[in-house]
């Protein structure tokens, strides 16, 4: 039996699948990675890149190197659909690629449309691959004497909070080096509910304190309705002056999922069962932010995409050999280490909270160890 396994997207789960399938190859199996980008960012280290603690290279996996090291065929192309009858992945500007089994780990797309003017005036945090380039351009702009000074983040999840704190650290350091008065900058965060709504109250209070100590204007329980070239307009009728706005609110599922005929959840994400197979097509798997675990729903976080890697690899290998796939139950709680934009972090798990520089050291160790499995493999 010859088996073509096609992995769509080089996200957090698929990098593990590449390594796992190469460690236990089947002679009749060929693995192909279809990827829009040749490097893939590791979300856990992105705030550190923005803060200036890591280089961009340290926080990215080189998919060309990883494919070469794992004997994977790499196709540098964007998937735009699935022909499930002909069993082909449809690609933009390239011939379709056939599959026996395929898996989708393509992350999520930005959803700016609920906020008027966001398309034109805001920087979307998703997809994270193109976000870093936009942030570097903003930092360069801020170093101009007439550059942006009033920075506002919209969205108070861990991504938005870490991002604003990291950007503040970096901008103030760059401003000082460029001879610009740090006091010229202002920072604000606007969020529809409480900050860090999925974390416990002690974690929220720790970050409220950090924001206060740093003079960041925190607006909770108000929604951004519109963004203009000079301000964020709130549903309370107030406005927050802004020269640059970063939006890290909920992101949406890629639009091309709708044409695949695969069952989607009510938000448009790929509905998968406990084996990570699509609920209406066992030859299609999905993992990471783009998938919705119907029986065990979890928040969209890199940690779950990472954890899905081993069961996904195992089940694809089993199915390729005609064996039954095994169910996977992701853990209900996970330890989150949320940085304050410096070498300091707050730990959150259920009702547990701790903070300190040592937790940043632990986070740094965990993140580097994870990256070490996939970097420098050529
Ligand atoms: C600033 C920030 C900080 C964060 N920090 C954390 C954190 O500390 N911990 C945590 O758990 N989560 C964090 N997150 C969330 C985390 O980024 C996501 O949950 C995670 O990236 C999801 O991984 P994924 O594998 O689903 O997709 P991604 O990492 O987005 O990977 C998708 C891949 O698919 C490729 N791709 C996309 N579309 C196509 C296509 N059509 N065809 C081919 N290839 C395609 C892309 O090039 C990309 O390589 C953070 C998010 C942000 C914005």
């Amino acid at each position: 039996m010859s088996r073509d396994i096609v992995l769509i997207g080089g996200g957090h789960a698929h990098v593990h699948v590449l390594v796992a399938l190469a460690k236990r190859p089947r002679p009749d199996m060929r693995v192909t990675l279809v990827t829009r980008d040749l490097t893939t960012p590791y979300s856990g280290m992105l705030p550190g890149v923005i803060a200036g603690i890591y280089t961009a290279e340290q926080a990215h996996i080189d998919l060309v190197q990883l494919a070469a090291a794992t004997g994977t065929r790499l196709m540098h192309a964007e998937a735009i659909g699935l022909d499930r009858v002909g069993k082909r992945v449809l690609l933009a500007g390239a011939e379709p690629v056939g599959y026996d089994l395929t898996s989708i780990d393509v992350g999520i797309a930005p959803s700016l449309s609920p906020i008027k003017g966001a398309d034109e005036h805001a920087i979307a945090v998703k997809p994270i691959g193109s976000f870093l380039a936009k942030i570097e351009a903003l930092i360069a702009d801020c170093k101009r004497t007439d550059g942006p000074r009033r920075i506002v983040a919209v969205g108070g999840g861990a991504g938005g909070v870490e991002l604003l704190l990291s950007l503040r650290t970096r901008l103030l350091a760059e401003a000082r080096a460029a001879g610009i008065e740090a006091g010229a900058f202002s920072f604000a965060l606007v969020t529809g509910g409480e900050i860090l709504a999925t974390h416990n109250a002690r974690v929220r209070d720790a970050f409220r304190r950090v924001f206060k100590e740093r003079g960041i204007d925190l607006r909770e329980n108000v929604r951004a309705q519109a963004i203009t070239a000079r301000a964020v307009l709130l549903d309370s009728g107030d406005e927050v002056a802004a020269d640059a706005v970063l939006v890290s609110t909920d992101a949406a599922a890629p639009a091309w999922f709708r044409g695949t005929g695969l069952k989607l959840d009510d938000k448009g994400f790929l509905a998968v069962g406990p084996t990570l197979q699509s609920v209406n097509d066992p030859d299609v798997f999905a993992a990471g932010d783009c998938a919705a675990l119907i029986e065990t729903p979890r928040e969209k976080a890199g940690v779950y995409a990472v954890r899905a890697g081993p069961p996904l690899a195992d089940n694809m290998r089993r199915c390729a050999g005609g064996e039954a796939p095994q169910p996977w139950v992701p853990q209900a709680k996970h330890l989150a280490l949320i940085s304050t934009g410096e070498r300091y972090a707050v730990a959150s798990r259920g009702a547990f909270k701790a903070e300190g520089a040592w937790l940043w050291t632990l986070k740094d160790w965990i993140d580097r160890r994870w990256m070490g499995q996939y970097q420098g493999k050529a």
Side-chain angles (χ1 to χ4, degrees), residues 137-376:
L138 172 63
I139 291 168
D141 273 358
C142 288
K143 289 199 277 189
R144 291 200 327 261
T145 45
D146 62 342
R149 295 290 179 266
R150 300 166 304 179
I151 315 295
V152 179
V154 177
V161 166
E162 279 196 279
L163 175 67
L164 184 69
L165 290 168
S166 304
L167 183 60
R168 178 182 173 278
T169 299
R170 172 84 174 277
L171 274 182
L172 296 189
E174 299 256 0
R176 270 191 292 274
I180 299 169
E181 175 57 42
F185 287 91
S186 71
F187 298 86
L189 186 134
V190 172
T191 187
E194 293 187 280
I195 50 161
L196 300 168
T198 59
H199 297 270
N200 67 65
R202 293 171 62 218
V203 170
R204 280 195 284 281
D205 284 344
F207 276 93
R208 288 184 183 119
R209 187 200 74 226
V210 167
F211 273 49
K212 197 166 173 200
E213 285 166 2
R214 297 180 192 181
I216 300 173
D217 179 10
L218 174 61
R219 311 276 185 116
E220 294 179 270
N221 302 306
V222 279
R223 291 194 163 272
Q225 260 182 347
I227 298 173
T228 68
R230 311 304 296 168
V232 178
L233 313 183
L234 309 178
D235 61 0
S236 59
D238 290 342
E239 60 177 66
V240 184
D243 302 317
V245 182
L246 311 169
V247 176
S248 85
T249 50
D250 278 349
W256 63 268
F257 288 179
R258 286 197 292 271
T260 60
L262 293 168
K263 186 133 180 22
L264 308 179
D265 77 351
D266 55 357
K267 293 192 174 134
F269 297 103
L270 298 163
V272 296
T275 57
L276 296 168
Q277 286 162 297
S278 157
V279 296
N280 66 329
D281 188 340
D283 293 339
V284 180
F285 292 72
D289 282 1
C290 69
L293 289 151
I294 296 303
E295 290 181 24
T296 52
R298 297 286 182 269
E299 67 175 297
K300 300 216 176 289
V303 59
Y304 290 113
V306 165
R307 297 262 162 84
L312 177 63
D314 193 43
N315 280 344
M316 293 197 85
R317 196 172 180 286
R318 281 169 178 274
C319 289
E323 295 167 52
Q326 298 291 307
W328 172 60
V329 180
Q331 63 188 87
K333 289 179 194 159
H334 69 274
L335 174 71
L337 294 167
I338 310 166
S339 83
T340 59
E342 284 151 4
R343 289 180 163 87
Y344 192 94
V346 178
S348 166
R349 187 176 196 277
F352 171 79
K353 176 254 164 193
E355 63 180 279
W358 68 277
L359 284 164
W360 187 88
T361 306
L362 174 66
K363 176 175 164 55
D364 176 59
W365 180 79
I366 294 170
D367 289 345
R368 284 178 193 266
R369 195 180 57 145
W370 190 80
M371 286 300 275
Q373 300 173 81
Y374 310 110
Q375 277 181 328

Side-chain angles (χ1 to χ4, degrees), residues 8-14 34-47 50 63 77-80 91 105-108 125-129 131 158-160 162-163 248 254 256 287-291 300-306 334 336-338 363 367:
I8 307 173
H12 293 58
H14 278 177
V34 171
T35 182
R36 188 188 59 200
D37 303 300
L38 293 177
T39 62
T40 197
Y42 174 47
S43 54
M45 290 171 89
L46 272 189
I50 294 165
L63 295 173
E78 180 171 8
I80 50 170
L91 307 175
D105 176 18
V106 293
I108 43 190
V125 171
K126 290 281 180 175
I128 50 178
F131 171 66
E162 279 196 279
L163 175 67
S248 85
W256 63 268
D289 282 1
C290 69
K300 300 216 176 289
V303 59
Y304 290 113
V306 165
H334 69 274
L337 294 167
I338 310 166
K363 176 175 164 55
D367 289 345

Side-chain angles (χ1 to χ4, degrees), residues 67-141:
T70 53
T72 303
R73 178 172 65 145
L74 182 98
M75 299 189 72
H76 185 199
E78 180 171 8
I80 50 170
L82 278 189
D83 161 15
R84 293 196 296 120
V85 178
K87 302 201 77 172
R88 300 179 312 161
V89 180
L90 308 179
L91 307 175
E95 288 297 309
V97 54
Y99 68 84
D100 292 301
L101 296 174
T102 187
S103 173
I104 306 174
D105 176 18
V106 293
I108 43 190
S111 164
L112 296 182
S113 46
I115 307 175
K116 209 169 145 240
D119 275 332
E120 193 185 345
H121 299 294
I123 298 175
V125 171
K126 290 281 180 175
I128 50 178
S130 52
F131 171 66
L132 266 187
K134 294 180 199 159
I135 279 288
E136 290 302 330
L138 172 63
I139 291 168
D141 273 358

